[in-house]
Amino acid sequence: MPSALPDGEPVPDDGALPASALAGAAARPLGFYLHVPYCATRCGYCDFNTYTATELRGTGGVLASRDNYADTLIDEVRLARKVLGDDPREVRTVFVGGGTPTLLAAADLVRMLGAIRDEFGLAADAEVTTEANPESVDPAYLAALREGGFNRISFGMQSARQHVLRVLDRTHTPGRPEACVAEARAAGFDHVNLDLIYGTPGESDDDWRASLDAAIGAGPDHVSAYALIVEEGTQLARRIRRGEVPMTDDDVHADRYLIADSVLTGAGFDWYEVSNWATSDAGRCLHNELYWRGADWWGAGPGAHSHVGGVRWWNVKHPGAYAAALASGRSPGAGREVLSDEDRRVERILLELRLREGVPLELLKEAGLQASRRALGEGLLEAAPYEQGRAVLTLRGRLLADAVVRDLVD
């Protein structure tokens, strides 16, 4: 089941932000994340804030229904307009995630996007993405999304091997994600991503190479590859605990990452974030870069997180509670925190170090600078950028990114 929300101070009923959050806002990019919390089935590894029809039955009534979900989410977009007041920014990125957003009608996703356009305006070159389950779309659906203003799509492929998909409880069949890329291209999508997962119990190196080859052969301009994380409370964690499948291994994860980087680089993809590769700068996911660079985004939907000007908040998790709050004219915010300057410095290091451009050395304190010099000597940071005042991970450094960043934030 979904993990718990963090603690925090209460969010005002009207969602109002401190004046400090809006200071200088015009100079920062603004994005929207729209969370669609519905799935046809729950994957065995998933602890996201998503719900199947069975899980919602009797817990939210009509308020939790996906039939009227678009209207509910649009209410939060209108709340965002009120909270941000006369903020002049047009929205630079929109990302619809989940869950399975494409369980909603294409017209619903287009209406949600239309509400953002009506309330805020979209930048002329705005990036508009939705995630999609390969089995939940067809050419007509994709054409409707493209005509409605979506210009980027991300398909959950995970693996090309049936036995790996079975362990993950994925419902699509091998080959369908690749077909979806062709259908998206035919519908006019210039930017297409495929998500892959490595390190699934029972997956071999050959299985992983086959998945990479299948993804590349489909012709996307972006590939995301993530190590499988076994979260407590998931079906996969229970199966591992019962001894039905073996636990994943960190050394295997490292080997698979090296394979991924080698294969993707050889096919013309360049890494720009530890888990993301693109064939060009235009193919990079601008919305995710808002997160990694600490820009402003409003997360609408149950359990969605937002950040504006150093204030971070998160919504109630259950779709019924979320809808009830908005129906009564209240913010669905469950809690928030105001980040200190030190919090923001640490988060910049944590997130920007993962990017190809790295992090400015001027953000580091003396202990962090000493650690950066050790990392340089150990081959974890690139020499040329370091001489120019930036800490940039080498390939080996990417394998040890969590350990490197722990040292740099001191």
Side-chain angles (χ1 to χ4, degrees):
M1 292 300 291
S3 54
L5 289 171
D7 296 325
E9 65 182 43
V11 175
D13 282 349
D14 63 359
L17 292 169
S20 61
L22 300 179
R28 301 189 299 265
L30 175 64
F32 263 81
Y33 171 74
L34 309 181
H35 186 66
V36 178
Y38 305 107
C39 281
T41 61
R42 178 173 293 279
C43 297
Y45 62 92
C46 178
D47 76 334
F48 295 163
N49 190 46
T50 61
Y51 303 84
T52 65
T54 299
E55 291 167 341
L56 284 174
R57 189 170 295 131
T59 64
V62 67
L63 290 176
S65 170
R66 72 188 194 204
D67 294 337
N68 55 11
Y69 181 74
D71 292 323
T72 302
L73 189 136
I74 287 170
D75 285 342
E76 189 178 357
V77 172
R78 291 170 178 158
L79 172 67
R81 177 71 281 175
K82 293 177 182 177
V83 170
L84 296 179
D86 59 0
D87 186 327
R89 290 176 291 179
E90 292 183 319
V91 172
R92 180 70 186 82
T93 67
V94 179
F95 193 104
V96 187
T100 306
T102 45
L103 283 180
L104 299 185
D108 282 347
L109 299 187
V110 171
R111 284 200 301 121
M112 289 154 52
L113 175 61
I116 294 173
R117 183 186 295 111
D118 292 344
E119 297 293 338
F120 290 88
L122 289 174
D125 58 348
E127 174 191 270
V128 182
T129 305
T130 187
E131 295 178 333
N133 185 306
E135 302 290 355
S136 65
V137 297
D138 58 26
Y141 190 105
L142 294 169
L145 289 181
R146 184 67 191 94
E147 184 178 354
F150 286 81
N151 52 31
R152 186 175 183 275
I153 193 161
S154 177
F155 295 108
M157 178 177 179
Q158 319 316 349
S159 176
R161 297 296 206 197
Q162 184 67 61
H163 71 94
V164 176
L165 293 172
R166 191 177 302 117
V167 172
L168 295 172
D169 290 326
R170 295 291 296 182
T171 57
H172 69 262
T173 55
R176 179 58 195 153
E178 299 94 305
C180 285
V181 175
E183 292 171 5
R185 294 294 194 197
F189 282 88
D190 293 327
H191 302 299
V192 181
N193 171 63
L194 289 175
D195 275 345
L196 297 173
I197 289 178
Y198 57 87
T200 300
E203 178 192 63
S204 68
D205 285 353
D206 286 345
D207 291 332
W208 179 229
R209 289 183 181 277
S211 295
L212 290 164
D213 289 343
I216 291 166
D221 63 336
H222 190 286
V223 171
S224 299
Y226 302 104
L228 176 66
I229 298 175
V230 180
E231 302 285 1
E232 281 302 315
T234 62
Q235 177 63 23
L236 181 57
R238 289 188 288 272
R239 293 185 65 194
I240 290 173
R241 191 162 50 247
R242 292 193 297 263
E244 295 175 10
V245 293
M247 182 61 183
T248 53
D249 182 277
D250 288 344
D251 290 336
V252 169
H253 282 172
D255 290 342
R256 300 279 161 76
Y257 184 87
L258 292 174
I259 291 171
D261 189 71
S262 175
V263 172
L264 289 166
T265 299
F269 289 77
D270 292 321
W271 83 279
Y272 71 96
E273 192 274 341
V274 168
S275 298
N276 291 274
W277 291 257
T279 57
S280 67
D281 286 347
R284 293 167 65 148
C285 180
L286 299 180
H287 183 82
N288 283 342
E289 290 197 79
L290 293 188
Y291 301 154
W292 298 323
R293 298 187 187 280
D296 289 353
W297 71 90
W298 189 293
H305 288 232
S306 303
H307 172 267
V308 174
V311 179
R312 181 163 50 217
W313 70 96
W314 44 91
N315 287 345
V316 294
K317 296 186 70 170
H318 195 278
Y322 169 77
L326 287 165
S328 66
R330 293 181 291 108
S331 164
R336 78 179 186 188
E337 58 184 338
V338 179
L339 303 176
S340 67
D341 289 343
E342 176 63 7
D343 291 333
R344 299 181 79 176
R345 182 191 76 88
V346 169
E347 290 198 359
R348 277 196 66 186
I349 298 170
L350 287 169
L351 296 172
E352 290 183 28
L353 186 65
R354 297 180 61 86
L355 294 170
R356 183 66 184 86
E357 294 78 13
V359 64
L361 293 174
E362 64 188 24
L363 287 178
L364 307 184
K365 295 182 176 180
E366 184 53 37
L369 282 170
Q370 292 179 14
S372 75
R373 288 189 282 269
R374 290 195 300 272
L376 180 67
E378 294 168 1
L380 303 176
L381 297 178
E382 294 185 4
Y386 196 89
E387 291 299 317
Q388 298 171 359
R390 302 191 72 83
V392 173
L393 294 170
T394 61
L395 176 56
R396 181 165 176 263
R398 281 185 266 159
L399 293 174
L400 301 171
D402 290 344
V404 175
V405 80
R406 280 197 301 269
D407 290 337
L408 298 193
V409 298
D410 287 343

